[in-house]
């Protein structure tokens, strides 16, 4: 009888542990945070340069997009990190208003007006700030709680 009770207890514990995996909070990742901050700074510089010819900056743009793709792949391989991956995917989709779309626009039009660059830079920096804020919230265990976004 005691063996049966132990077995039932172990089965219950196993089900409880595996069933709650969807509620697990992703942990803070210093590399992810640092790389996101670095990419934010790089995109800010590239947007400032977008008032110049795309052709002169194309190598920098390509390296930047490769770095983003590497980070997205890294994020996909972190456990319980679906929200961050979804945020990155929104930020890089070609058919949405995103970083990738901005570079496609710049390439097509050869240059970008200073006003358009300024507005786009503000919007893209906000998206990066959200990613950074979310990663920081993971450090205190609130990663899966409702993310409250505040305007600065």
């Amino acid at each position: 009888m005691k063996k049966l009770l132990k077995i039932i207890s172990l089965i219950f514990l196993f089900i409880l542990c595996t069933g709650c995996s969807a509620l697990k909070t992703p942990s803070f990742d210093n590399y992810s945070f640092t790389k996101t901050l670095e990419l934010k700074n790089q995109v800010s510089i590239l947007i400032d340069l977008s008032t110049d010819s795309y052709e002169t900056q194309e190598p920098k743009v390509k390296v930047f997009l490769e770095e983003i793709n590497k980070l997205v792949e890294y994020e996909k391989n972190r456990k319980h990190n679906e929200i961050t991956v979804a945020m990155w995917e929104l930020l890089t989709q070609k058919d949405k208003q995103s970083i990738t779309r901005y570079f496609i626009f710049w390439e097509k039009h050869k240059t970008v007006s200073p006003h358009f660059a300024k507005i786009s830079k503000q919007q893209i920096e906000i998206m990066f700030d959200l990613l950074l804020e979310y990663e920081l919230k993971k450090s205190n265990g609130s990663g899966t709680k409702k993310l409250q976004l505040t305007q600065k």
Side-chain angles (χ1 to χ4, degrees):
M1 186 69 167
K2 285 186 178 184
K3 284 187 178 185
L4 182 61
L5 188 55
K6 275 187 177 182
I7 292 172
I8 291 173
S9 296
L10 287 173
I11 291 172
F12 177 74
L13 184 61
F14 175 76
I15 292 171
L16 183 64
C17 290
T18 58
C20 293
S21 66
L23 300 176
K24 290 188 179 177
T25 302
S27 59
F28 173 79
D29 187 287
N30 191 55
Y31 172 77
S32 178
F33 181 81
T34 305
K35 191 65 177 176
T36 302
L37 190 56
E38 178 184 312
L39 291 171
K40 177 186 175 189
N41 291 332
Q42 286 177 6
V43 78
S44 180
I45 291 167
L46 285 171
I47 291 172
D48 288 342
L49 294 171
S50 68
T51 57
D52 297 335
S53 170
Y54 178 82
E55 291 174 357
T56 62
Q57 304 303 325
E58 185 175 15
K60 291 178 185 175
V61 171
K62 295 213 181 286
V63 168
F64 173 77
L65 292 173
E66 287 173 17
E67 289 298 312
I68 282 191
N69 289 334
K70 288 178 191 175
L71 183 58
V72 171
E73 285 305 311
Y74 175 80
E75 296 290 359
K76 286 179 180 178
N77 289 300
R78 290 177 56 205
K79 290 184 179 183
H80 314 294
N81 204 35
E82 295 80 10
I83 294 172
T84 301
V85 170
M87 291 170 79
W88 272 111
E89 287 174 349
L90 285 172
L91 193 60
T92 58
Q93 288 179 345
K94 289 182 182 179
D95 59 337
K96 303 286 183 195
Q97 301 302 326
S98 65
I99 295 171
T100 308
R101 188 78 177 148
Y102 183 83
F103 292 133
I104 291 169
F105 179 87
W106 181 16
E107 181 179 22
K108 180 180 177 184
H109 292 87
K110 309 298 183 207
T111 62
V112 176
S113 74
H115 179 71
F116 185 73
K118 179 182 175 185
I119 299 298
S120 298
K121 181 178 175 179
Q122 291 170 345
Q123 293 173 352
I124 290 171
E125 285 180 344
I126 288 170
M127 291 186 259
F128 270 94
D129 288 342
L130 293 173
L131 276 162
L132 291 164
E133 181 181 343
Y134 183 67
E135 191 64 37
L136 278 175
K137 287 188 179 285
K138 293 176 187 177
S139 67
N140 64 13
S142 63
T144 56
K145 293 181 182 174
K146 183 177 179 185
L147 180 61
Q148 294 181 352
L149 307 174
T150 57
Q151 292 185 341
K152 296 175 183 177

